[in-house]
């Protein structure tokens, strides 16, 4: 059997955007019976939130959308991740700049904006961390749903 293709979702803190992206991707590959060929994780660019679960607003949006089984503890990205993963997705341009500057010489990972796959053309996944309500989390969720579906449609035969 061919090796699984591995995707790593990255954002600054790994408590809002990348967990939503990971949960959406995991839900999609489960529903489409693609777990034999795809794997997904998420991680942070900073270690500040290491060990914490996702923001409660992210979890409540996921639950409301029917994703009840997601659990995660924030972790920082490692050098090994660049060798292990086929794609590393950032949520905004700062994420991409940081990933490019950390990338080891022999990195196999393709580093891209997740929003590059959004058929609506919204390149930057909304950062809702500093918001006082949940609207930005719904927005980020919808962006992730569109981008993940179109990425997987493009990369599965
Ligand atoms: P995330 O959101 O990168 O989507 O998880 C943030 C989390 C933490 C911070 C900023 C954004 N922070 O500044 O600590």
């Amino acid at each position: 059997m061919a090796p699984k293709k591995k995707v790593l979702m990255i954002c600054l803190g790994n408590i809002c955007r990348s967990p939503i992206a990971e949960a959406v991707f995991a839900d999609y590959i489960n529903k489409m019976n693609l777990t034999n060929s795809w794997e997904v994780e998420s991680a942070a660019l900073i270690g500040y939130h290491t060990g914490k679960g996702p923001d409660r607003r992210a979890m409540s949006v996921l639950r409301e959308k029917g994703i009840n089984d997601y659990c995660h503890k924030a972790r920082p990205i490692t050098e090994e991740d660049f060798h292990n993963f086929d794609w590393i997705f950032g949520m905004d341009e700062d994420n991409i700049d940081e990933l490019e500057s950390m990338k080891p010489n022999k990195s196999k990972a393709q580093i891209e904006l997740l929003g590059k796959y959004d058929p609506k053309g919204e390149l930057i996944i909304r950062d809702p961390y500093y918001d006082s309500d949940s609207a930005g989390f719904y927005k980020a969720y919808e962006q992730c749903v569109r981008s993940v579906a179109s990425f997987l449609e493009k990369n599965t035969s």
Side-chain angles (χ1 to χ4, degrees):
M1 203 160 81
K4 286 187 184 187
K5 282 165 270 186
K6 298 180 68 170
V7 166
L8 183 64
M9 302 295 187
I10 290 291
C11 62
L12 188 64
N14 193 212
I15 54 170
C16 299
R17 293 164 293 173
S18 61
I20 292 172
E22 179 190 8
V24 164
F25 195 103
D27 184 58
Y28 192 100
I29 59 175
N30 269 324
K31 287 185 174 142
M32 304 301 263
N33 287 321
L34 294 171
T35 52
N36 284 335
S37 45
W38 289 89
E39 209 172 287
V40 64
E41 288 184 31
S42 70
L45 290 166
I46 55 171
Y48 185 71
H49 298 285
T50 299
K52 284 192 208 162
D55 187 289
R56 65 183 164 70
R57 295 167 293 176
M59 291 303 283
S60 66
V61 169
L62 290 173
R63 273 194 299 271
E64 197 180 302
K65 301 292 182 180
I67 301 177
N68 297 300
D69 55 352
Y70 179 66
C71 63
H72 181 68
K73 295 281 174 266
R75 72 156 176 96
I77 190 169
T78 64
E79 182 169 340
E80 219 186 320
D81 289 327
F82 289 89
H83 302 299
N84 273 344
F85 286 90
D86 301 289
W87 280 272
I88 299 181
F89 284 119
M91 303 295 133
D92 61 32
E93 297 286 5
D94 287 345
N95 295 168
I96 299 297
D97 290 348
E98 185 71 18
L99 287 166
E100 289 291 351
S101 74
M102 296 172 74
K103 182 175 81 171
N105 281 339
K106 290 189 175 157
S107 166
K108 81 164 175 180
Q110 200 167 321
I111 296 169
E112 292 183 306
L113 281 170
L114 180 61
K116 195 182 121 184
Y117 292 88
D118 182 356
K120 268 182 120 175
E122 292 180 7
L123 269 183
I124 306 304
I125 307 289
R126 174 80 159 76
D127 180 355
Y129 178 67
Y130 289 106
D131 293 0
S132 54
D133 62 16
S134 286
F137 286 83
Y138 286 98
K139 170 82 182 169
Y141 170 85
E142 296 299 343
Q143 292 180 281
C144 288
V145 167
R146 293 196 302 268
S147 299
V148 163
S150 109
F151 168 77
L152 280 166
E153 276 158 23
K154 192 171 168 199
N155 287 286
T156 50
S157 39

